[in-house]
Amino acid sequence: MPTTTWNRHHVISLADFTTAEYNTVLQTAASFQEVLSRRTKKVPTLQGQVVANLFFEPSTRTRSSFELAAKRLSADTLNFAASTSSMTKGETILDTAKTYLAMGTDIMVIRHKEAGVPNAIAAEMDRLGVRVSVLNAGDGQHEHPSQGLLDLFTICTLIDSNHPRIELLAGKKIAIVGDILHSRVARSNIWSLIASGAQVHLAAPPTLLPKLFAQYIYGEKTDTLNGQLFLHWQLEPALQDADFVMTLRLQKERMTAHLLPSLREYHQLFGITRQKLQLCKPNVKVLHPGPVNRGVEISSDLMDDPEFSLIQSQVTSGVAVRMALLYLIGSGKT
């Protein structure tokens, strides 16, 4: 494992991650990737600890990935589902978290449709003076740090599988296409890619990428994005000579707000196809955090083509990266 000191107690956002922290996560994940390739895929790193997955909204990849990551580290796991919990009887979110605290939970992995919930629970744990860590598994339209880190890991290991590091992306052009306005994944990816020195090009219809997006979302930190973040309301300039293309799920539930004329028109203008990828670098790779609306954000044949698609690699990387995060915030508790 990397010897770099890790002092972060919670992982809520990537906005204040340092280069050293990014590289510690990447190198630790690479070590666990090697563990996962063995016949015996389990290590006793977090034996005796309890990881509670508190998912207040549905999830397949993130929840299963965190659960498997915890089990691979030999931790005991507790899984929460809001629909079958005492929240249906009026229990508050903080009281639910305190219930799991009373059961001896060491790490809480929290996903919620409202921004700020993981941070509020982390603040309550700190106020109580307990050594419980909180890991944000996606909160509203705020962030999804573990997804941003696994995307970063997927790209960096493609370039250098032995020594993944964020410096590998310096000067690379990365296009992020889709429902950027509502995407917590986009926000986390922007922070990590800017920190790596990449050129980040956002592309979406104006309703999904307002002109003042950067100022609205990043406020006083906008200065750190200057010269690296570019907004486009047409797809072609974002794809031109791109090294990587990240497509985002078009959230169909937004259609009731009349943000798009139709899914068909969106695919014609912003859907990623083989033909459109001809604008990119010859060895361009495509990513998508899932779940995918086939034939909307990306053509079905392209999604399944291993020559271009890194989508399955992202899922595989997710376990190693989440093992790394659980290890880094949990190793000091044993």
Side-chain angles (χ1 to χ4, degrees):
M1 296 296 172
T3 57
T4 305
T5 302
W6 177 271
N7 297 315
R8 190 175 290 268
H9 186 54
H10 307 296
V11 178
I12 306 296
S13 166
L14 299 185
D16 59 348
F17 255 58
T18 65
T19 297
E21 286 176 318
Y22 279 117
N23 283 333
T24 297
V25 172
L26 294 177
Q27 292 158 28
T28 305
S31 298
F32 284 126
Q33 189 92 303
E34 191 276 326
V35 169
L36 292 171
S37 68
R38 302 175 188 170
R39 183 174 181 179
T40 302
K41 299 176 173 61
K42 206 166 187 176
V43 291
T45 314
L46 296 186
Q47 190 168 9
Q49 291 198 42
V50 177
V51 176
N53 293 314
L54 308 183
F55 278 59
F56 296 90
E57 69 172 359
S59 170
T60 299
R61 293 157 188 77
T62 303
R63 179 170 182 161
S64 299
S65 183
F66 268 115
E67 183 177 0
L68 183 57
K71 289 179 177 178
R72 291 289 186 240
L73 294 170
S74 301
D76 296 316
T77 59
L78 294 171
N79 290 313
F80 165 89
S83 61
T84 57
S85 75
S86 292
M87 289 189 69
T88 60
K89 303 175 183 178
E91 185 173 71
T92 68
I93 292 173
L94 286 181
D95 284 340
T96 297
K98 289 176 184 177
T99 298
Y100 279 88
L101 169 65
M103 293 180 187
T105 296
D106 298 284
I107 300 173
M108 295 183 184
V109 181
I110 299 168
R111 184 183 185 100
H112 200 280
K113 65 179 181 179
E114 300 293 340
V117 170
N119 189 58
I121 294 176
E124 180 66 9
M125 295 299 115
D126 292 345
R127 187 189 69 80
L128 293 172
V130 296
R131 298 178 68 243
V132 174
S133 294
V134 172
L135 210 161
N136 180 7
D139 62 329
Q141 296 177 29
H142 175 226
E143 278 203 51
H144 194 343
S146 66
Q147 182 68 46
L149 290 168
L150 77 86
D151 290 344
L152 188 69
F153 181 72
T154 302
I155 294 173
C156 289
T157 52
L158 181 70
I159 300 173
D160 187 345
S161 60
N162 294 320
H163 186 42
R165 56 201 184 279
I166 66 171
E167 292 84 358
L168 294 169
L169 298 188
K172 298 288 187 184
K173 180 176 179 179
I174 301 178
I176 302 179
V177 182
D179 188 357
I180 294 167
L181 177 62
H182 303 104
S183 176
R184 51 195 172 203
V185 173
R187 288 161 173 74
S188 289
N189 269 308
I190 289 171
W191 285 124
S192 63
L193 295 174
I194 291 295
S196 72
Q199 301 293 317
V200 183
H201 291 252
L202 309 179
T207 51
L208 300 180
L209 181 60
K211 185 177 181 180
L212 298 179
F213 171 81
Q215 289 87 335
Y216 173 70
I217 299 300
Y218 298 100
E220 61 185 21
K221 296 182 180 180
T222 303
D223 289 344
T224 64
L225 308 177
N226 286 348
Q228 288 183 263
L229 186 67
F230 305 87
L231 278 62
H232 305 280
W233 295 279
Q234 292 182 328
L235 183 61
E236 290 71 18
L239 294 186
Q240 190 68 50
D241 296 322
D243 296 283
F244 296 93
V245 178
M246 293 184 176
T247 60
L248 301 172
R249 182 175 76 89
L250 191 63
Q251 300 178 38
K252 293 181 179 180
E253 58 270 25
R254 308 294 177 190
M255 296 308 103
T256 58
H258 306 291
L259 297 180
L260 293 173
S262 69
L263 297 180
R264 179 179 179 183
E265 180 173 320
Y266 175 86
H267 181 69
Q268 290 175 342
L269 296 176
F270 290 93
I272 304 302
T273 63
R274 292 177 188 275
Q275 182 179 2
K276 291 173 184 174
L277 285 186
Q278 292 176 9
L279 293 167
C280 304
K281 294 280 184 63
N283 58 345
V284 66
K285 302 297 181 184
V286 178
L287 301 93
H288 192 302
V292 180
N293 295 309
R294 287 177 178 263
V296 180
E297 302 105 22
I298 183 172
S299 63
S300 190
D301 64 311
L302 184 59
M303 176 183 170
D304 296 329
D305 189 341
E307 181 182 350
F308 294 100
S309 176
L310 294 179
I311 296 173
Q312 290 304 311
S313 297
Q314 288 173 273
V315 177
T316 303
S317 295
V319 178
V321 169
R322 284 157 180 149
M323 285 178 72
L325 290 172
L326 293 173
Y327 165 78
L328 289 168
I329 65 175
S331 58
K333 302 177 190 296
T334 53

